[in-house]
């Protein structure tokens, strides 16, 4: 079983809105070897890609003699990693991929076609392969570059870190007491344990104040500061930026540190937190998670580093299924939902097609089992335009 790619990379910043909508279709036809050849093939490899993932529909046409079984091979020039396939048995070793027929679609008469699909992830590049071979015989194109359409490159200019016209913009410098007041109110929407929320003057990302949460383990141990800002008309894409610092690695058990009442769930929460040591989204009403909590899914998320300030950004599309997450300008592939269900990532999440409609923001701690943590939040902003770190 190949290990999911985890190496870090320096990737141009992608604008949230573009990343949401980015579904670039690439169609490549690899021509057959010379006319009249006894063997030959044509491969149409159609890619639907987004930042971090892709699906591909592969159609192979046999231009040679009839085959009773087929095997299509190719080499990825990028860092594509196939996570699943259908209508073929697909294996990947390094960059080499072998797809064999699924049995029922093995017979390929001269001029006949077979189709199969696959999905996968990529980090730094996902060019269309150029060296297809059917049953060991090249489909042509050797030494030539197939006519690819390069993916649309989103603008690389990061959005401003300033609040701009954000609906909510909090550096907590206006908090004079220890108890959050004014634009922030302490709340425990479901149930209250021993967790606390306070204004802290010892640790801050900006100025001299931040919001400190002493989160405590134990089922239903909830403590939040709720912003009074009404977010119910912010959008259509809700952009959230926050600086977070915490002391204890995310536990195996489910926890949440951001909770947004969501009118699409009848007021139940759209939550951001962790499980199995990595960041995750959770939908309270059906307990769906993003990514799926499979080992492959968790590996596509990231831990929240401890002991230093981390910039977290979220984009919540309220008009179409779409969620995105950045940790310090890295788009986290496992925390990305789009319209294409991807196994281990957003397949479960997309089982609900009604987009979320957050109406407010709460920062704090919810534990449903184990997991003590102390967290600080600072420089929190929510608006209808992307907000940078
Ligand atoms: Ca501050």
């Amino acid at each position: 079983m190949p290990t999911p790619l985890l190496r870090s990379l320096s990737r141009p910043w992608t604008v949230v809105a573009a990343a949401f909508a980015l579904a670039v279709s690439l169609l490549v036809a690899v021509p057959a070897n010379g006319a009249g050849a006894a063997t030959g093939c044509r491969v149409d490899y159609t890619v639907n890609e987004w930042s971090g993932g892709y699906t591909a529909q592969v159609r192979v046409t046999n231009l040679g003699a009839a085959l009773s079984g087929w095997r299509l091979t190719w080499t990825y020039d990028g860092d594509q990693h196939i996570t699943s396939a259908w209508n073929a048995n697909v294996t990947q070793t390094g960059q080499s991929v072998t797809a064999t027929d699924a049995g029922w679609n093995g017979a390929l008469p001269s001029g006949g076609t077979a189709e199969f699909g696959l999905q996968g992830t990529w980090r730094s590049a996902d060019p269309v392969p150029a060296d297809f071979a059917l049953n060991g015989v090249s489909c042509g194109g050797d030494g030539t570059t197939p006519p690819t359409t390069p993916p649309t490159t989103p603008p690389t200019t990061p959005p401003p870190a300033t609040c701009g016209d954000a609906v909510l913009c909090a550096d907590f410098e206006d908090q004079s007491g220890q108890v959050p007041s004014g634009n922030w109110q302490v709340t425990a929407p479901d149930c209250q344990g021993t967790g606390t929320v306070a204004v802290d003057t010892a640790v801050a990302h900006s100025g001299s104040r931040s919001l400190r949460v002493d989160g405590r383990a134990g089922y239903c141990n909830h403590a939040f500061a709720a912003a009074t800002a009404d977010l119910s008309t912010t959008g259509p894409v809700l952009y959230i930026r926050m600086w977070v610092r915490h002391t204890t690695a995310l536990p195996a058990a489910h926890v949440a540190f951001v909770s947004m009442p969501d009118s699409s769930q009848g007021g139940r929460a759209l939550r951001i937190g962790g499980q199995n040591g990595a960041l995750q989204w959770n939908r309270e009403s059906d307990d769906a998670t993003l990514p799926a909590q499979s080992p492959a899914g968790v590996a596509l998320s990231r831990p929240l580093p401890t002991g230093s300030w981390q910039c977290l950004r979220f984009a919540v599309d309220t008009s179409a299924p779409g969620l995105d997450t950045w940790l310090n300008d890295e788009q986290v592939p496992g925390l990305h939902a789009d319209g294409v269900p991807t196994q281990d990532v957003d397949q479960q999440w997309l089982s609900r097609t009604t987009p979320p409609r957050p109406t407010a923001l709460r920062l704090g701690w919810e534990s449903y089992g184990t997991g003590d943590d102390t967290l600080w939040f600072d420089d929190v902003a929510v608006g209808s335009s992307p907000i940078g770190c």
Side-chain angles (χ1 to χ4, degrees):
M1 186 79 181
T3 305
L5 293 167
L6 291 173
R7 67 185 174 81
S8 62
L9 72 156
S10 175
R11 183 168 163 74
W13 205 93
T14 52
V15 165
V16 179
F20 263 161
L22 185 63
V24 182
S25 287
L26 302 175
L27 174 62
V28 177
V30 179
N33 271 330
T39 59
C41 43
R42 172 195 165 98
V43 174
D44 297 310
Y45 184 96
T46 308
V47 180
N48 189 33
E49 72 155 21
W50 58 94
S51 185
Y54 68 99
T55 59
Q57 192 70 23
V58 186
R59 185 172 69 215
V60 53
T61 305
N62 177 22
L63 300 177
L67 301 171
S68 58
W70 53 265
R71 182 180 82 259
L72 189 72
T73 56
W74 69 87
T75 309
Y76 277 136
D77 292 325
D79 58 358
Q80 295 101 323
H81 169 68
I82 296 171
T83 55
S84 66
W86 53 96
N87 297 343
N89 298 308
V90 179
T91 58
Q92 180 175 4
T93 302
Q95 292 168 294
S96 300
V97 180
T98 301
T100 55
D101 66 75
W104 57 266
N105 61 355
L108 209 51
S110 183
T113 63
E115 281 195 56
F116 62 96
L118 49 89
Q119 60 188 5
T121 62
W122 62 282
R123 296 289 302 280
S124 57
D126 69 335
V128 171
D131 65 341
F132 292 101
L134 181 62
N135 289 13
V137 178
S138 170
C139 295
D142 303 75
T144 64
T145 304
T148 62
T149 305
T152 304
T153 303
T156 55
T157 308
T162 51
C163 282
D165 57 0
V167 177
L168 189 164
C169 180
D171 61 9
F172 301 101
E173 299 305 309
D174 60 344
Q175 294 284 334
S176 52
Q178 203 181 4
V179 178
S181 61
N183 295 331
W184 293 87
Q185 300 292 328
V186 175
T187 176
D190 298 321
C191 35
Q192 172 75 65
T194 53
T196 58
V197 182
V199 175
D200 192 357
T201 55
V203 175
H205 178 259
S206 70
S208 61
R209 285 178 172 81
S210 70
L211 189 69
R212 172 174 169 153
V213 177
D214 286 88
R216 292 289 170 258
Y219 181 74
C220 207
N221 204 338
H222 299 191
F224 285 93
T228 57
D230 178 6
L231 307 180
S232 60
T233 59
T234 306
V237 178
L238 200 76
Y239 295 94
I240 305 166
R241 189 278 318 274
M242 62 182 65
W243 286 87
V244 184
R245 184 185 177 112
H246 75 144
T247 59
T248 309
L250 293 169
H254 181 203
V255 293
F257 55 85
V258 176
S259 172
M260 292 178 279
D262 177 359
S263 61
S264 83
Q265 299 181 63
R268 290 191 165 209
L270 181 64
R271 305 186 284 213
I272 302 158
Q275 192 165 342
N276 289 311
L279 293 163
Q280 75 161 9
W281 288 84
N282 174 271
R283 195 163 52 207
E284 183 182 5
S285 55
D286 62 352
D287 211 29
T289 67
L290 176 74
Q293 291 303 299
S294 60
V298 172
L300 291 169
S301 183
R302 297 285 180 270
L304 182 63
T306 59
S308 59
W309 286 100
Q310 306 293 321
C311 182
L312 274 174
R313 288 182 299 133
F314 312 103
V316 181
D317 197 334
T318 65
S319 64
L323 273 182
D324 234 323
T325 312
W326 288 260
L327 173 61
N328 299 322
D329 285 343
E330 184 207 14
Q331 187 181 22
V332 182
L335 300 173
H336 169 86
D338 54 27
V340 183
T342 301
Q343 189 181 352
D344 297 316
V345 182
D346 61 353
Q347 199 163 38
Q348 180 191 39
W349 192 264
L350 295 173
S351 64
R352 175 169 297 171
T353 54
T354 309
R357 178 61 267 182
T359 57
L361 179 72
R362 299 185 291 232
L363 304 176
W365 188 253
E366 279 187 15
S367 168
Y368 316 98
T370 55
D372 276 1
D373 200 357
T374 302
L375 309 92
W376 291 265
F377 298 90
D378 204 353
D379 298 312
V380 179
V382 182
S384 301
S385 311
I387 305 162
C389 289

